[in-house]
PDB file of all heavy atoms in Angstrom:
ATOM      1  N   LEU A   1      21.524  -6.847   4.898  1.00  0.00           N
ATOM      2  CA  LEU A   1      21.499  -8.278   5.181  1.00  0.00           C
ATOM      3  C   LEU A   1      22.802  -8.749   5.814  1.00  0.00           C
ATOM      4  O   LEU A   1      22.802  -9.436   6.837  1.00  0.00           O
ATOM      5  CB  LEU A   1      21.233  -9.060   3.888  1.00  0.00           C
ATOM      6  CG  LEU A   1      21.249 -10.582   4.013  1.00  0.00           C
ATOM      7  CD1 LEU A   1      20.063 -11.067   4.838  1.00  0.00           C
ATOM      8  CD2 LEU A   1      21.214 -11.230   2.620  1.00  0.00           C
ATOM      9  N   LEU A   2      23.917  -8.378   5.228  1.00  0.00           N
ATOM     10  CA  LEU A   2      25.209  -8.875   5.703  1.00  0.00           C
ATOM     11  C   LEU A   2      25.668  -8.193   6.987  1.00  0.00           C
ATOM     12  O   LEU A   2      26.713  -8.554   7.526  1.00  0.00           O
ATOM     13  CB  LEU A   2      26.274  -8.719   4.609  1.00  0.00           C
ATOM     14  CG  LEU A   2      26.004  -9.512   3.326  1.00  0.00           C
ATOM     15  CD1 LEU A   2      27.142  -9.334   2.329  1.00  0.00           C
ATOM     16  CD2 LEU A   2      25.813 -10.997   3.631  1.00  0.00           C
ATOM     17  N   ASP A   3      24.916  -7.204   7.466  1.00  0.00           N
ATOM     18  CA  ASP A   3      25.243  -6.594   8.752  1.00  0.00           C
ATOM     19  C   ASP A   3      24.693  -7.393   9.925  1.00  0.00           C
ATOM     20  O   ASP A   3      25.046  -7.144  11.072  1.00  0.00           O
ATOM     21  CB  ASP A   3      24.680  -5.161   8.831  1.00  0.00           C
ATOM     22  CG  ASP A   3      25.421  -4.215   7.901  1.00  0.00           C
ATOM     23  OD1 ASP A   3      26.576  -4.516   7.578  1.00  0.00           O
ATOM     24  OD2 ASP A   3      24.825  -3.195   7.503  1.00  0.00           O
ATOM     25  N   ARG A   4      23.830  -8.345   9.634  1.00  0.00           N
ATOM     26  CA  ARG A   4      23.293  -9.186  10.698  1.00  0.00           C
ATOM     27  C   ARG A   4      24.349 -10.191  11.154  1.00  0.00           C
ATOM     28  O   ARG A   4      25.373 -10.384  10.512  1.00  0.00           O
ATOM     29  CB  ARG A   4      22.029  -9.891  10.229  1.00  0.00           C
ATOM     30  CG  ARG A   4      20.835  -8.933  10.020  1.00  0.00           C
ATOM     31  CD  ARG A   4      19.634  -9.700   9.537  1.00  0.00           C
ATOM     32  NE  ARG A   4      18.423  -8.905   9.520  1.00  0.00           N
ATOM     33  CZ  ARG A   4      18.009  -8.170   8.498  1.00  0.00           C
ATOM     34  NH1 ARG A   4      18.751  -8.126   7.411  1.00  0.00           N
ATOM     35  NH2 ARG A   4      16.887  -7.479   8.564  1.00  0.00           N
ATOM     36  N   ARG A   5      24.052 -10.880  12.254  1.00  0.00           N
ATOM     37  CA  ARG A   5      25.011 -11.840  12.806  1.00  0.00           C
ATOM     38  C   ARG A   5      24.751 -13.259  12.334  1.00  0.00           C
ATOM     39  O   ARG A   5      25.667 -14.073  12.267  1.00  0.00           O
ATOM     40  CB  ARG A   5      24.963 -11.796  14.337  1.00  0.00           C
ATOM     41  CG  ARG A   5      25.781 -10.670  14.944  1.00  0.00           C
ATOM     42  CD  ARG A   5      25.664 -10.620  16.449  1.00  0.00           C
ATOM     43  NE  ARG A   5      25.473 -11.915  17.072  1.00  0.00           N
ATOM     44  CZ  ARG A   5      24.868 -12.092  18.248  1.00  0.00           C
ATOM     45  NH1 ARG A   5      24.380 -11.059  18.891  1.00  0.00           N
ATOM     46  NH2 ARG A   5      24.739 -13.292  18.770  1.00  0.00           N
ATOM     47  N   ILE A   6      23.472 -13.572  12.016  1.00  0.00           N
ATOM     48  CA  ILE A   6      23.111 -14.939  11.624  1.00  0.00           C
ATOM     49  C   ILE A   6      22.194 -14.878  10.407  1.00  0.00           C
ATOM     50  O   ILE A   6      21.208 -14.139  10.398  1.00  0.00           O
ATOM     51  CB  ILE A   6      22.386 -15.675  12.767  1.00  0.00           C
ATOM     52  CG1 ILE A   6      23.252 -15.704  14.027  1.00  0.00           C
ATOM     53  CG2 ILE A   6      22.034 -17.102  12.351  1.00  0.00           C
ATOM     54  CD1 ILE A   6      22.510 -16.200  15.272  1.00  0.00           C
ATOM     55  N   ILE A   7      22.516 -15.668   9.388  1.00  0.00           N
ATOM     56  CA  ILE A   7      21.688 -15.757   8.190  1.00  0.00           C
ATOM     57  C   ILE A   7      21.419 -17.231   7.889  1.00  0.00           C
ATOM     58  O   ILE A   7      22.345 -18.047   7.850  1.00  0.00           O
ATOM     59  CB  ILE A   7      22.359 -15.100   6.971  1.00  0.00           C
ATOM     60  CG1 ILE A   7      22.581 -13.605   7.211  1.00  0.00           C
ATOM     61  CG2 ILE A   7      21.526 -15.324   5.708  1.00  0.00           C
ATOM     62  CD1 ILE A   7      23.372 -12.923   6.111  1.00  0.00           C
ATOM     63  N   PHE A   8      20.147 -17.559   7.705  1.00  0.00           N
ATOM     64  CA  PHE A   8      19.759 -18.883   7.231  1.00  0.00           C
ATOM     65  C   PHE A   8      19.417 -18.779   5.748  1.00  0.00           C
ATOM     66  O   PHE A   8      18.634 -17.910   5.360  1.00  0.00           O
ATOM     67  CB  PHE A   8      18.534 -19.399   7.986  1.00  0.00           C
ATOM     68  CG  PHE A   8      18.806 -19.821   9.404  1.00  0.00           C
ATOM     69  CD1 PHE A   8      18.803 -18.894  10.432  1.00  0.00           C
ATOM     70  CD2 PHE A   8      19.064 -21.152   9.704  1.00  0.00           C
ATOM     71  CE1 PHE A   8      19.054 -19.275  11.745  1.00  0.00           C
ATOM     72  CE2 PHE A   8      19.306 -21.546  11.009  1.00  0.00           C
ATOM     73  CZ  PHE A   8      19.311 -20.610  12.034  1.00  0.00           C
ATOM     74  N   VAL A   9      19.983 -19.655   4.933  1.00  0.00           N
ATOM     75  CA  VAL A   9      19.655 -19.719   3.515  1.00  0.00           C
ATOM     76  C   VAL A   9      18.921 -21.031   3.282  1.00  0.00           C
ATOM     77  O   VAL A   9      19.483 -22.107   3.516  1.00  0.00           O
ATOM     78  CB  VAL A   9      20.914 -19.635   2.631  1.00  0.00           C
ATOM     79  CG1 VAL A   9      20.528 -19.712   1.157  1.00  0.00           C
ATOM     80  CG2 VAL A   9      21.678 -18.339   2.911  1.00  0.00           C
ATOM     81  N   GLY A  10      17.645 -20.954   2.873  1.00  0.00           N
ATOM     82  CA  GLY A  10      16.852 -22.176   2.760  1.00  0.00           C
ATOM     83  C   GLY A  10      15.953 -22.179   1.548  1.00  0.00           C
ATOM     84  O   GLY A  10      15.794 -21.175   0.852  1.00  0.00           O
ATOM     85  N   GLY A  11      15.350 -23.329   1.301  1.00  0.00           N
ATOM     86  CA  GLY A  11      14.454 -23.502   0.169  1.00  0.00           C
ATOM     87  C   GLY A  11      14.374 -24.961  -0.217  1.00  0.00           C
ATOM     88  O   GLY A  11      14.977 -25.833   0.423  1.00  0.00           O
ATOM     89  N   LYS A  12      13.663 -25.234  -1.271  1.00  0.00           N
ATOM     90  CA  LYS A  12      13.507 -26.598  -1.750  1.00  0.00           C
ATOM     91  C   LYS A  12      14.855 -27.178  -2.185  1.00  0.00           C
ATOM     92  O   LYS A  12      15.739 -26.442  -2.620  1.00  0.00           O
ATOM     93  CB  LYS A  12      12.524 -26.621  -2.930  1.00  0.00           C
ATOM     94  CG  LYS A  12      12.118 -28.018  -3.380  1.00  0.00           C
ATOM     95  CD  LYS A  12      11.136 -27.944  -4.546  1.00  0.00           C
ATOM     96  CE  LYS A  12      10.642 -29.336  -4.906  1.00  0.00           C
ATOM     97  NZ  LYS A  12      11.740 -30.252  -5.270  1.00  0.00           N
ATOM     98  N   GLY A  13      15.003 -28.466  -2.067  1.00  0.00           N
ATOM     99  CA  GLY A  13      16.240 -29.099  -2.497  1.00  0.00           C
ATOM    100  C   GLY A  13      16.529 -28.841  -3.972  1.00  0.00           C
ATOM    101  O   GLY A  13      15.637 -28.910  -4.818  1.00  0.00           O
ATOM    102  N   GLY A  14      17.768 -28.495  -4.279  1.00  0.00           N
ATOM    103  CA  GLY A  14      18.182 -28.330  -5.666  1.00  0.00           C
ATOM    104  C   GLY A  14      17.977 -26.962  -6.271  1.00  0.00           C
ATOM    105  O   GLY A  14      18.227 -26.762  -7.468  1.00  0.00           O
ATOM    106  N   VAL A  15      17.547 -25.963  -5.472  1.00  0.00           N
ATOM    107  CA  VAL A  15      17.291 -24.634  -6.046  1.00  0.00           C
ATOM    108  C   VAL A  15      18.542 -23.753  -6.062  1.00  0.00           C
ATOM    109  O   VAL A  15      18.534 -22.673  -6.653  1.00  0.00           O
ATOM    110  CB  VAL A  15      16.160 -23.897  -5.292  1.00  0.00           C
ATOM    111  CG1 VAL A  15      14.847 -24.641  -5.443  1.00  0.00           C
ATOM    112  CG2 VAL A  15      16.507 -23.699  -3.818  1.00  0.00           C
ATOM    113  N   GLY A  16      19.619 -24.198  -5.399  1.00  0.00           N
ATOM    114  CA  GLY A  16      20.848 -23.407  -5.388  1.00  0.00           C
ATOM    115  C   GLY A  16      21.138 -22.731  -4.062  1.00  0.00           C
ATOM    116  O   GLY A  16      21.780 -21.671  -4.027  1.00  0.00           O
ATOM    117  N   LYS A  17      20.727 -23.358  -2.950  1.00  0.00           N
ATOM    118  CA  LYS A  17      20.959 -22.757  -1.624  1.00  0.00           C
ATOM    119  C   LYS A  17      22.445 -22.652  -1.319  1.00  0.00           C
ATOM    120  O   LYS A  17      22.917 -21.625  -0.818  1.00  0.00           O
ATOM    121  CB  LYS A  17      20.269 -23.596  -0.540  1.00  0.00           C
ATOM    122  CG  LYS A  17      18.770 -23.692  -0.661  1.00  0.00           C
ATOM    123  CD  LYS A  17      18.157 -24.435   0.508  1.00  0.00           C
ATOM    124  CE  LYS A  17      18.681 -25.858   0.628  1.00  0.00           C
ATOM    125  NZ  LYS A  17      18.297 -26.694  -0.527  1.00  0.00           N
ATOM    126  N   THR A  18      23.185 -23.733  -1.591  1.00  0.00           N
ATOM    127  CA  THR A  18      24.613 -23.734  -1.249  1.00  0.00           C
ATOM    128  C   THR A  18      25.370 -22.682  -2.043  1.00  0.00           C
ATOM    129  O   THR A  18      26.227 -21.976  -1.512  1.00  0.00           O
ATOM    130  CB  THR A  18      25.220 -25.129  -1.506  1.00  0.00           C
ATOM    131  OG1 THR A  18      24.519 -26.096  -0.715  1.00  0.00           O
ATOM    132  CG2 THR A  18      26.691 -25.159  -1.132  1.00  0.00           C
ATOM    133  N   THR A  19      25.043 -22.554  -3.328  1.00  0.00           N
ATOM    134  CA  THR A  19      25.675 -21.532  -4.166  1.00  0.00           C
ATOM    135  C   THR A  19      25.395 -20.136  -3.622  1.00  0.00           C
ATOM    136  O   THR A  19      26.303 -19.299  -3.500  1.00  0.00           O
ATOM    137  CB  THR A  19      25.146 -21.632  -5.606  1.00  0.00           C
ATOM    138  OG1 THR A  19      25.480 -22.918  -6.137  1.00  0.00           O
ATOM    139  CG2 THR A  19      25.761 -20.552  -6.483  1.00  0.00           C
ATOM    140  N   THR A  20      24.134 -19.885  -3.274  1.00  0.00           N
ATOM    141  CA  THR A  20      23.755 -18.578  -2.728  1.00  0.00           C
ATOM    142  C   THR A  20      24.446 -18.310  -1.402  1.00  0.00           C
ATOM    143  O   THR A  20      24.992 -17.216  -1.178  1.00  0.00           O
ATOM    144  CB  THR A  20      22.230 -18.513  -2.543  1.00  0.00           C
ATOM    145  OG1 THR A  20      21.583 -18.746  -3.793  1.00  0.00           O
ATOM    146  CG2 THR A  20      21.812 -17.168  -1.992  1.00  0.00           C
ATOM    147  N   ALA A  21      24.431 -19.301  -0.509  1.00  0.00           N
ATOM    148  CA  ALA A  21      25.083 -19.134   0.790  1.00  0.00           C
ATOM    149  C   ALA A  21      26.581 -18.885   0.616  1.00  0.00           C
ATOM    150  O   ALA A  21      27.161 -18.029   1.299  1.00  0.00           O
ATOM    151  CB  ALA A  21      24.848 -20.371   1.655  1.00  0.00           C
ATOM    152  N   GLY A  22      27.196 -19.629  -0.291  1.00  0.00           N
ATOM    153  CA  GLY A  22      28.630 -19.442  -0.532  1.00  0.00           C
ATOM    154  C   GLY A  22      28.953 -18.066  -1.076  1.00  0.00           C
ATOM    155  O   GLY A  22      29.936 -17.428  -0.666  1.00  0.00           O
ATOM    156  N   ALA A  23      28.124 -17.579  -2.011  1.00  0.00           N
ATOM    157  CA  ALA A  23      28.355 -16.250  -2.588  1.00  0.00           C
ATOM    158  C   ALA A  23      28.189 -15.160  -1.534  1.00  0.00           C
ATOM    159  O   ALA A  23      28.992 -14.210  -1.460  1.00  0.00           O
ATOM    160  CB  ALA A  23      27.395 -16.018  -3.754  1.00  0.00           C
ATOM    161  N   LEU A  24      27.156 -15.284  -0.693  1.00  0.00           N
ATOM    162  CA  LEU A  24      26.952 -14.298   0.374  1.00  0.00           C
ATOM    163  C   LEU A  24      28.105 -14.319   1.375  1.00  0.00           C
ATOM    164  O   LEU A  24      28.582 -13.263   1.813  1.00  0.00           O
ATOM    165  CB  LEU A  24      25.633 -14.586   1.099  1.00  0.00           C
ATOM    166  CG  LEU A  24      24.349 -14.266   0.345  1.00  0.00           C
ATOM    167  CD1 LEU A  24      23.148 -14.819   1.104  1.00  0.00           C
ATOM    168  CD2 LEU A  24      24.193 -12.759   0.145  1.00  0.00           C
ATOM    169  N   ALA A  25      28.537 -15.512   1.744  1.00  0.00           N
ATOM    170  CA  ALA A  25      29.635 -15.638   2.709  1.00  0.00           C
ATOM    171  C   ALA A  25      30.913 -15.022   2.153  1.00  0.00           C
ATOM    172  O   ALA A  25      31.654 -14.337   2.878  1.00  0.00           O
ATOM    173  CB  ALA A  25      29.858 -17.109   3.053  1.00  0.00           C
ATOM    174  N   LEU A  26      31.164 -15.257   0.884  1.00  0.00           N
ATOM    175  CA  LEU A  26      32.375 -14.705   0.270  1.00  0.00           C
ATOM    176  C   LEU A  26      32.291 -13.189   0.173  1.00  0.00           C
ATOM    177  O   LEU A  26      33.295 -12.476   0.390  1.00  0.00           O
ATOM    178  CB  LEU A  26      32.571 -15.324  -1.115  1.00  0.00           C
ATOM    179  CG  LEU A  26      33.954 -15.189  -1.743  1.00  0.00           C
ATOM    180  CD1 LEU A  26      35.037 -15.754  -0.832  1.00  0.00           C
ATOM    181  CD2 LEU A  26      33.985 -15.896  -3.099  1.00  0.00           C
ATOM    182  N   MET A  27      31.092 -12.657  -0.133  1.00  0.00           N
ATOM    183  CA  MET A  27      30.903 -11.203  -0.153  1.00  0.00           C
ATOM    184  C   MET A  27      31.235 -10.592   1.202  1.00  0.00           C
ATOM    185  O   MET A  27      31.943  -9.580   1.290  1.00  0.00           O
ATOM    186  CB  MET A  27      29.453 -10.866  -0.508  1.00  0.00           C
ATOM    187  CG  MET A  27      29.076 -11.048  -1.961  1.00  0.00           C
ATOM    188  SD  MET A  27      27.281 -10.874  -2.192  1.00  0.00           S
ATOM    189  CE  MET A  27      26.989  -9.244  -1.507  1.00  0.00           C
ATOM    190  N   ALA A  28      30.710 -11.226   2.263  1.00  0.00           N
ATOM    191  CA  ALA A  28      30.953 -10.707   3.611  1.00  0.00           C
ATOM    192  C   ALA A  28      32.433 -10.780   3.968  1.00  0.00           C
ATOM    193  O   ALA A  28      32.996  -9.839   4.550  1.00  0.00           O
ATOM    194  CB  ALA A  28      30.122 -11.486   4.622  1.00  0.00           C
ATOM    195  N   ALA A  29      33.054 -11.902   3.625  1.00  0.00           N
ATOM    196  CA  ALA A  29      34.475 -12.072   3.942  1.00  0.00           C
ATOM    197  C   ALA A  29      35.330 -11.064   3.184  1.00  0.00           C
ATOM    198  O   ALA A  29      36.270 -10.482   3.746  1.00  0.00           O
ATOM    199  CB  ALA A  29      34.906 -13.499   3.605  1.00  0.00           C
ATOM    200  N   ASP A  30      35.023 -10.850   1.914  1.00  0.00           N
ATOM    201  CA  ASP A  30      35.782  -9.868   1.120  1.00  0.00           C
ATOM    202  C   ASP A  30      35.608  -8.460   1.656  1.00  0.00           C
ATOM    203  O   ASP A  30      36.474  -7.596   1.467  1.00  0.00           O
ATOM    204  CB  ASP A  30      35.335  -9.927  -0.346  1.00  0.00           C
ATOM    205  CG  ASP A  30      35.822 -11.180  -1.066  1.00  0.00           C
ATOM    206  OD1 ASP A  30      36.725 -11.862  -0.516  1.00  0.00           O
ATOM    207  OD2 ASP A  30      35.307 -11.481  -2.163  1.00  0.00           O
ATOM    208  N   ALA A  31      34.460  -8.221   2.336  1.00  0.00           N
ATOM    209  CA  ALA A  31      34.218  -6.903   2.929  1.00  0.00           C
ATOM    210  C   ALA A  31      34.873  -6.762   4.298  1.00  0.00           C
ATOM    211  O   ALA A  31      34.718  -5.733   4.958  1.00  0.00           O
ATOM    212  CB  ALA A  31      32.715  -6.651   3.047  1.00  0.00           C
ATOM    213  N   GLY A  32      35.584  -7.802   4.737  1.00  0.00           N
ATOM    214  CA  GLY A  32      36.318  -7.727   5.991  1.00  0.00           C
ATOM    215  C   GLY A  32      35.630  -8.332   7.188  1.00  0.00           C
ATOM    216  O   GLY A  32      36.138  -8.238   8.305  1.00  0.00           O
ATOM    217  N   ARG A  33      34.490  -8.983   6.984  1.00  0.00           N
ATOM    218  CA  ARG A  33      33.768  -9.607   8.105  1.00  0.00           C
ATOM    219  C   ARG A  33      34.222 -11.049   8.276  1.00  0.00           C
ATOM    220  O   ARG A  33      34.202 -11.837   7.325  1.00  0.00           O
ATOM    221  CB  ARG A  33      32.260  -9.570   7.877  1.00  0.00           C
ATOM    222  CG  ARG A  33      31.686  -8.169   7.715  1.00  0.00           C
ATOM    223  CD  ARG A  33      30.194  -8.163   7.996  1.00  0.00           C
ATOM    224  NE  ARG A  33      29.930  -8.281   9.428  1.00  0.00           N
ATOM    225  CZ  ARG A  33      28.767  -8.641   9.949  1.00  0.00           C
ATOM    226  NH1 ARG A  33      27.777  -8.978   9.151  1.00  0.00           N
ATOM    227  NH2 ARG A  33      28.605  -8.705  11.251  1.00  0.00           N
ATOM    228  N   ALA A  34      34.646 -11.384   9.481  1.00  0.00           N
ATOM    229  CA  ALA A  34      35.017 -12.768   9.779  1.00  0.00           C
ATOM    230  C   ALA A  34      33.753 -13.618   9.727  1.00  0.00           C
ATOM    231  O   ALA A  34      32.834 -13.424  10.525  1.00  0.00           O
ATOM    232  CB  ALA A  34      35.671 -12.856  11.151  1.00  0.00           C
ATOM    233  N   THR A  35      33.699 -14.561   8.796  1.00  0.00           N
ATOM    234  CA  THR A  35      32.458 -15.282   8.498  1.00  0.00           C
ATOM    235  C   THR A  35      32.648 -16.784   8.643  1.00  0.00           C
ATOM    236  O   THR A  35      33.637 -17.348   8.176  1.00  0.00           O
ATOM    237  CB  THR A  35      31.990 -14.965   7.060  1.00  0.00           C
ATOM    238  OG1 THR A  35      31.848 -13.546   6.916  1.00  0.00           O
ATOM    239  CG2 THR A  35      30.681 -15.651   6.748  1.00  0.00           C
ATOM    240  N   LEU A  36      31.661 -17.414   9.271  1.00  0.00           N
ATOM    241  CA  LEU A  36      31.618 -18.877   9.374  1.00  0.00           C
ATOM    242  C   LEU A  36      30.436 -19.369   8.559  1.00  0.00           C
ATOM    243  O   LEU A  36      29.288 -18.993   8.815  1.00  0.00           O
ATOM    244  CB  LEU A  36      31.468 -19.320  10.833  1.00  0.00           C
ATOM    245  CG  LEU A  36      31.320 -20.835  11.070  1.00  0.00           C
ATOM    246  CD1 LEU A  36      32.549 -21.586  10.594  1.00  0.00           C
ATOM    247  CD2 LEU A  36      31.057 -21.125  12.552  1.00  0.00           C
ATOM    248  N   LEU A  37      30.699 -20.210   7.565  1.00  0.00           N
ATOM    249  CA  LEU A  37      29.674 -20.781   6.698  1.00  0.00           C
ATOM    250  C   LEU A  37      29.493 -22.248   7.072  1.00  0.00           C
ATOM    251  O   LEU A  37      30.440 -23.034   6.991  1.00  0.00           O
ATOM    252  CB  LEU A  37      30.092 -20.642   5.236  1.00  0.00           C
ATOM    253  CG  LEU A  37      29.207 -21.318   4.181  1.00  0.00           C
ATOM    254  CD1 LEU A  37      27.775 -20.781   4.241  1.00  0.00           C
ATOM    255  CD2 LEU A  37      29.795 -21.101   2.788  1.00  0.00           C
ATOM    256  N   VAL A  38      28.285 -22.618   7.489  1.00  0.00           N
ATOM    257  CA  VAL A  38      28.019 -23.963   8.001  1.00  0.00           C
ATOM    258  C   VAL A  38      26.942 -24.639   7.170  1.00  0.00           C
ATOM    259  O   VAL A  38      25.845 -24.096   7.004  1.00  0.00           O
ATOM    260  CB  VAL A  38      27.562 -23.909   9.480  1.00  0.00           C
ATOM    261  CG1 VAL A  38      27.273 -25.316   9.994  1.00  0.00           C
ATOM    262  CG2 VAL A  38      28.625 -23.232  10.342  1.00  0.00           C
ATOM    263  N   SER A  39      27.255 -25.821   6.653  1.00  0.00           N
ATOM    264  CA  SER A  39      26.263 -26.617   5.935  1.00  0.00           C
ATOM    265  C   SER A  39      25.617 -27.603   6.893  1.00  0.00           C
ATOM    266  O   SER A  39      26.302 -28.344   7.594  1.00  0.00           O
ATOM    267  CB  SER A  39      26.927 -27.382   4.785  1.00  0.00           C
ATOM    268  OG  SER A  39      26.016 -28.302   4.219  1.00  0.00           O
ATOM    269  N   THR A  40      24.272 -27.596   6.931  1.00  0.00           N
ATOM    270  CA  THR A  40      23.533 -28.549   7.764  1.00  0.00           C
ATOM    271  C   THR A  40      22.794 -29.576   6.914  1.00  0.00           C
ATOM    272  O   THR A  40      22.046 -30.398   7.444  1.00  0.00           O
ATOM    273  CB  THR A  40      22.511 -27.815   8.657  1.00  0.00           C
ATOM    274  OG1 THR A  40      21.498 -27.231   7.839  1.00  0.00           O
ATOM    275  CG2 THR A  40      23.193 -26.738   9.479  1.00  0.00           C
ATOM    276  N   ASP A  41      22.971 -29.510   5.606  1.00  0.00           N
ATOM    277  CA  ASP A  41      22.308 -30.437   4.695  1.00  0.00           C
ATOM    278  C   ASP A  41      23.057 -31.767   4.687  1.00  0.00           C
ATOM    279  O   ASP A  41      24.266 -31.786   4.443  1.00  0.00           O
ATOM    280  CB  ASP A  41      22.292 -29.841   3.288  1.00  0.00           C
ATOM    281  CG  ASP A  41      21.359 -30.588   2.344  1.00  0.00           C
ATOM    282  OD1 ASP A  41      21.089 -31.783   2.601  1.00  0.00           O
ATOM    283  OD2 ASP A  41      20.911 -29.984   1.366  1.00  0.00           O
ATOM    284  N   PRO A  42      22.380 -32.903   4.971  1.00  0.00           N
ATOM    285  CA  PRO A  42      23.074 -34.192   4.944  1.00  0.00           C
ATOM    286  C   PRO A  42      23.755 -34.469   3.606  1.00  0.00           C
ATOM    287  O   PRO A  42      24.791 -35.130   3.560  1.00  0.00           O
ATOM    288  CB  PRO A  42      21.944 -35.201   5.211  1.00  0.00           C
ATOM    289  CG  PRO A  42      20.915 -34.428   5.951  1.00  0.00           C
ATOM    290  CD  PRO A  42      20.964 -33.030   5.384  1.00  0.00           C
ATOM    291  N   ALA A  43      23.167 -33.974   2.509  1.00  0.00           N
ATOM    292  CA  ALA A  43      23.789 -34.132   1.187  1.00  0.00           C
ATOM    293  C   ALA A  43      24.713 -32.937   0.945  1.00  0.00           C
ATOM    294  O   ALA A  43      24.428 -32.045   0.142  1.00  0.00           O
ATOM    295  CB  ALA A  43      22.714 -34.201   0.108  1.00  0.00           C
ATOM    296  N   HIS A  44      25.832 -32.919   1.668  1.00  0.00           N
ATOM    297  CA  HIS A  44      26.725 -31.757   1.638  1.00  0.00           C
ATOM    298  C   HIS A  44      27.296 -31.514   0.234  1.00  0.00           C
ATOM    299  O   HIS A  44      27.709 -32.449  -0.449  1.00  0.00           O
ATOM    300  CB  HIS A  44      27.879 -31.961   2.613  1.00  0.00           C
ATOM    301  CG  HIS A  44      27.462 -32.017   4.055  1.00  0.00           C
ATOM    302  ND1 HIS A  44      26.814 -30.982   4.678  1.00  0.00           N
ATOM    303  CD2 HIS A  44      27.604 -32.988   4.986  1.00  0.00           C
ATOM    304  CE1 HIS A  44      26.573 -31.320   5.945  1.00  0.00           C
ATOM    305  NE2 HIS A  44      27.032 -32.530   6.146  1.00  0.00           N
ATOM    306  N   SER A  45      27.309 -30.235  -0.155  1.00  0.00           N
ATOM    307  CA  SER A  45      27.956 -29.863  -1.416  1.00  0.00           C
ATOM    308  C   SER A  45      28.801 -28.608  -1.253  1.00  0.00           C
ATOM    309  O   SER A  45      29.249 -28.032  -2.242  1.00  0.00           O
ATOM    310  CB  SER A  45      26.895 -29.644  -2.508  1.00  0.00           C
ATOM    311  OG  SER A  45      25.940 -28.682  -2.101  1.00  0.00           O
ATOM    312  N   LEU A  46      29.012 -28.203  -0.001  1.00  0.00           N
ATOM    313  CA  LEU A  46      29.794 -26.993   0.260  1.00  0.00           C
ATOM    314  C   LEU A  46      31.211 -27.138  -0.290  1.00  0.00           C
ATOM    315  O   LEU A  46      31.737 -26.234  -0.942  1.00  0.00           O
ATOM    316  CB  LEU A  46      29.826 -26.720   1.764  1.00  0.00           C
ATOM    317  CG  LEU A  46      30.407 -25.383   2.217  1.00  0.00           C
ATOM    318  CD1 LEU A  46      29.616 -24.228   1.627  1.00  0.00           C
ATOM    319  CD2 LEU A  46      30.415 -25.301   3.738  1.00  0.00           C
TER     320      LEU A  46
END
């Protein structure tokens, strides 16, 4: 999964998308991949 260039993390509101996206982004960054994490949700919680 983290070898891809673009990942969308989605689902119903309140299920934990931001937490999941943040954890994945941090995993990739810790593995040495330069990562950009972008929130498109108007109710930002990043």
Side-chain angles (χ1 to χ4, degrees):
L1 177 68
L2 298 182
D3 290 336
R4 291 179 171 89
R5 278 178 32 206
I6 303 170
I7 298 174
F8 287 85
V9 180
K12 189 180 185 302
V15 296
K17 298 185 300 295
T18 301
T19 299
T20 302
L24 288 171
L26 197 56
M27 285 171 56
D30 288 346
R33 301 201 74 198
T35 304
L36 176 62
L37 174 59
V38 179
S39 171
T40 67
D41 193 336
H44 295 300
S45 56
L46 189 60

